[in-house]
Amino acid sequence: MLAEQFAAAAHRCREHSPLTHRLLRDAADDLVRGGVTAAIMAGSEHDRDATVPGLRFAGAVHRLVLEGRAPALARHYPTAGGTPDLPALWQDALPALHRHADLLRQRVRATAVQTNEPGRNAPLYGGLLVAAQEAAKAAGRAVPFGVRLLEVGASGGLNLRPHRVGYRLGGTVLGDPDSPLVLDPEWTGRPPADLGRRLRVTGRAGCDLDPVDVSTEDGRLHLSSFVWADQVRRWDRLRAALALAATDPVPVERSPGPAWLARQLAHAEHDVLTVVWHSVVWQYVSPADRARGRAVLADAAAKATPQTPLALLVFEPRRAGGRDAGHRFELLLRLWPAGLSLRLGHGAGHGTPFTWEVSPWE
């Protein structure tokens, strides 16, 4: 079972990270042989697919490299200044795996995959502009609402600063051009909103079952370890997002999503659009908590007024066609009491590139 999960994870990252693909493919073969990988994964043999044990293993190995514990392996990792030599990767990994097997097993068992990908700020920013302007239109206002952003599954909170990020479109930078984090959103098309209006965020909060404190070295290493080490652009984005977080801290509360959301939505804010946001989280949520979350949101939606509007904005993988079709990541918006439900577009799982393509969300 574990070998199959590792092989599946290797296949999924084959086109995007040859380094991670090779590491997980060789680790899958090692599992079949009963090698050191089996000792490292002891206790995780029956983990659900949704917990992606292969990526937890790859993250734990990457963290060894980032901590300077595996110098021979570091020569393959661009995040440590190396250049991958894929045929030699596994042989150079083996001494570190044997030496640190107990530590790796501990980290694999204790760790949840949390990339907290800052590239997702780009579709979020466009979606928030649409939501704020559409809510104002429905309320008969000329000026867009300010936004109160509530993120479920916020991890380290790196996507709770969309107004503090810059978004380069040709010769123009939307958002904050002076931000440490300036993204190339790689948009095809544009969001159906006036991009000349700046996003106004009046409040932010987030929750997570296992929040990451990005003000600590441990928290920064935790998030960094899950970036595929040969994806240098993603690595640079994360470093910039962490620098931004250091100047603008937003605490993330340790809490189950439904209970936290019920507390946050208990009191509506007048003349503010409250936006519930989550990205690439739904697959990790239990069916029971999904039902509870929907009930909490439905209760708040029934109480929304034109002066206290509510929105749901999500970026999650959805099946692209029939049962045998693959998945694609879609940006979806619901707005109450306006009754607006839109599929705003679709893009890569890390947020860029993104295609704006508006249609009804049924």
Side-chain angles (χ1 to χ4, degrees):
M1 179 65 172
L2 267 178
E4 294 173 0
Q5 291 173 319
F6 271 54
H11 178 75
R12 287 192 293 270
C13 63
R14 179 178 54 184
E15 295 182 12
H16 306 290
S17 176
L19 175 67
T20 309
H21 169 258
R22 185 60 178 256
L23 177 71
L24 292 181
R25 194 192 73 181
D26 289 344
D29 292 340
D30 190 58
L31 278 167
V32 172
R33 294 190 299 267
V36 66
T37 311
I40 292 168
M41 299 304 296
S44 299
E45 294 90 347
H46 303 293
D47 288 1
R48 295 180 301 115
D49 288 346
T51 68
V52 279
L55 295 187
R56 284 155 45 212
F57 171 84
V61 173
H62 189 191
R63 179 157 178 166
L64 282 184
V65 171
L66 295 176
E67 292 172 333
R69 297 175 188 260
L73 186 56
R75 74 180 184 92
H76 299 278
Y77 278 66
T79 51
T83 301
D85 178 5
L86 298 182
L89 175 65
W90 186 248
Q91 287 306 312
D92 285 344
L94 280 172
L97 299 184
H98 283 285
R99 186 178 307 114
H100 300 290
D102 290 342
L103 176 61
L104 289 168
R105 180 170 58 254
Q106 174 189 339
R107 287 180 173 173
V108 166
R109 293 289 303 277
T111 298
V113 174
Q114 291 179 311
T115 55
N116 205 195
E117 176 54 54
R120 294 178 192 139
N121 276 288
L124 171 61
Y125 181 83
L128 289 174
L129 287 177
V130 174
Q133 293 179 32
E134 289 295 333
K137 188 186 304 181
R141 295 166 51 117
V143 178
F145 279 97
V147 168
R148 174 191 179 207
L149 185 59
L150 305 177
E151 185 177 13
V152 179
S155 187
L158 299 185
N159 293 334
L160 281 167
R161 303 170 184 83
H163 59 309
R164 298 288 312 278
V165 176
Y167 308 91
R168 187 177 290 110
L169 294 179
T172 303
V173 178
L174 306 179
D176 183 357
D178 298 319
S179 174
L181 176 59
V182 177
L183 298 174
D184 177 1
E186 299 180 66
W187 283 351
T188 297
R190 294 293 182 266
D194 180 357
L195 300 184
R197 290 187 178 274
R198 295 197 66 169
L199 176 66
R200 185 166 57 91
V201 176
T202 65
R204 300 165 291 170
C207 78
D208 198 277
L209 287 174
D210 190 20
V212 179
D213 184 356
V214 295
S215 70
T216 67
E217 180 66 12
D218 180 72
R220 292 189 291 271
L221 277 170
H222 180 74
L223 291 184
S224 300
S225 70
F226 288 111
V227 174
W228 293 336
D230 47 357
Q231 292 192 327
V232 177
R233 288 182 63 195
R234 280 186 66 207
W235 175 260
D236 290 342
R237 280 204 303 258
L238 179 61
R239 309 324 290 171
L242 291 170
L244 175 58
T247 70
D248 181 28
V250 183
V252 177
E253 183 178 340
R254 184 182 300 274
S255 174
W260 177 84
L261 198 58
R263 293 194 301 272
Q264 294 291 329
L265 296 178
H267 303 287
E269 294 191 14
H270 200 75
D271 288 332
V272 170
L273 171 64
T274 296
V275 179
V276 177
W277 154 253
H278 60 79
S279 65
V280 198
V281 166
W282 204 236
Q283 68 201 65
Y284 303 112
V285 180
S286 70
D289 271 355
R290 290 184 186 185
R292 293 186 192 103
R294 287 191 182 105
V296 168
L297 193 64
D299 181 66
K303 298 173 183 174
T305 72
Q307 288 71 43
T308 59
L310 175 69
L312 172 67
L313 184 64
V314 304
F315 185 63
E316 297 285 353
R318 304 183 82 228
R319 207 172 286 281
R323 291 180 59 86
D324 296 328
H327 290 75
R328 69 178 184 180
F329 293 82
E330 296 187 338
L331 184 68
L332 307 168
L333 171 66
R334 282 210 168 113
L335 191 63
W336 298 277
L340 190 69
S341 293
L342 296 175
R343 180 180 290 106
L344 295 176
H346 55 88
H350 300 139
T352 61
F354 187 86
T355 297
W356 294 96
E357 193 172 63
V358 181
S359 63
W361 175 20
E362 312 252 334

